Structures are given as C-alpha cells and as structure tokens.
Amino acid sequence: MKIQFLGHASFLISTENHKILVDPFISANPQAENIDISQLNPDYILLTHAHQDHVLDVETIAQQSGATLISNFEITSYYAPKGIEGHGMNTGGSYTFPFGTVTSTLAHHSSSFADGTYGGNPNGYLINTGKQQIYISGDTSVFYDMRLLPELYGKIDLAIFPIGGNFTMGAKEAALAAEFVDTDRIIGCHYDTFPPIQINKDKARSWFEHYKKELILLEVEETFEL
Ligand code: NI
Ligand code: MN
C-alpha cells in the first residue's frame, strides 16, 4: 500500500490495483498548489465527513474520474443528484470492495456541508486489503472505545491521525489514540493548514516518543510506502 499526502487531511492511497482518494481539499489549499486534481484519477473517493476542508474537490474529481464515493449515507445521498455514484455506509458497518474491506468507525466531531445541509455523523475508516490494515480516524477527539478496533478487526499497521488541535485532537491526544489502537506508526495530518492548527513538530514528535511510537510527518506530495 502506498500513501501519498495531498495536504491537510487528504491522501491518495494506492493498493495493488486501485486508487482511493481520501478527503480532497486541494484546490483551495496553498500548500497543495502544485497538485493538479485532474491527474489524480481515483477509483474511489472516501469521505470522513461533510466539512468543506474535507470535501471541497469531490464534485470536480468524481465527475472527471467517475470515481465511486464511499461515505456515510447522508453524504452519498447529497452527491447522488449531482450524478456521482456512491456507496453509503454508517458507523459500525463493514463492506468489502474490490480493493479490500472498509469499516466505518466512530468519530467524535460534527458534519455539515458548507450550504448548511446535514452531513450525518462523522466517521473514521479502517481499510483492510487482506495484507495490511490502516486506520484513518477522521477529525475526532481521542476516545476510549478506540481500543475496540484492534480487538474486533485485528492488527492495525498504520494510523492516520489529525494532530493540529483546536478542531480535532492534538499530538498529545493522538499519541494516546495510537496507544489505544496499538499501532506503532502514525502519519499526522490536519495541522499547519490554518492559523489555529499551527503546531511545533518537535513537540508533536515527543508526545509519540513517550509511547515509543513513530510520528511520520510527510511533505505535501510525499509518498509513504507501507
Ligand atoms: Ni471537520
Ligand atoms: Mn477538518
């Protein structure tokens, strides 16, 4: 599995035969100005919630690529009249796609579209390709029930956590979240995009070192190979 950071909380995940785009917020992100969204061509677009900093480029990319949307039922229903094919899920459910099994997990956050439309409950996702499993928490606080994920779904090889604070957990909370889901490698996201989520990277890393875990901070467009 290859995981390319596209800025903020967006990633392009490449499995053996498929590309899954997560939470595209690219065209309005100055840090991602070198990314041409028409070149991404995902097979699937996975959305954690309806906030603008996660869904901005969904319509453009879905219409260009014909990608299938995977998200909660409210979000896939919102995009359906725009001609975007979707697979609706909800918290606690799993479904096996051609690239692997996706489990919709709990997230403590909110979820509304920029136009005020209700976006359902926010979610995180486990993606299990059969060879590897990653956990994308989505925007959330840390919560004790994260402990259930490895117990129910098995080893998590890598987690993608927000670490910017203010709107989500910060590095301190995310380090404990890594402990709860029992994973040693964490890719940080949702930091430094806006003034309230500016972080000190060394301080962030030190919270993870406390639990003997590795915080990976990718440059925009950089790819991590799992
Ligand atoms: Ni949000
Ligand atoms: Mn967000």
Side-chain angles (χ1 to χ4, degrees), residues 50-121:
H51 286 160
Q52 189 75 339
D53 62 316
H54 298 257
V55 306
L56 178 73
D57 297 314
V58 169
E59 274 184 60
T60 310
I61 297 171
Q63 280 160 0
Q64 283 169 349
S65 61
T68 300
L69 209 58
I70 302 171
S71 192
N72 72 23
F73 181 74
E74 286 79 4
I75 291 175
T76 55
S77 301
Y78 178 88
Y79 287 108
K82 301 171 193 287
I84 297 168
E85 189 196 330
H87 181 102
M89 299 181 68
N90 216 328
T91 315
S94 298
Y95 186 83
T96 300
F97 295 89
F99 61 85
T101 299
V102 172
T103 298
S104 169
T105 66
L106 197 64
H108 290 294
H109 193 65
S110 57
S111 176
S112 51
F113 285 94
D115 64 7
T117 304
Y118 172 59
N121 289 315

Side-chain angles (χ1 to χ4, degrees), residues 127-139:
I127 301 174
N128 190 335
T129 62
K131 288 181 181 161
Q132 291 165 319
Q133 175 162 249
I134 65 167
Y135 171 42
I136 300 166
S137 73
D139 287 7

Side-chain angles (χ1 to χ4, degrees), residues 120-176:
N121 289 315
N123 289 112
Y125 294 98
L126 288 162
I127 301 174
N128 190 335
T129 62
K131 288 181 181 161
Q132 291 165 319
Q133 175 162 249
I134 65 167
Y135 171 42
I136 300 166
S137 73
D139 287 7
T140 184
S141 65
V142 62
F143 51 96
Y144 201 72
D145 287 358
M146 284 175 170
R147 281 181 179 274
L148 297 174
L149 298 178
E151 188 175 331
L152 275 166
Y153 306 110
K155 184 175 166 43
I156 292 168
D157 298 294
L158 179 137
I160 298 178
F161 286 158
I163 57 165
N166 193 70
F167 303 112
T168 66
M169 53 187 174
K172 176 184 180 179
E173 295 81 11
L176 182 61

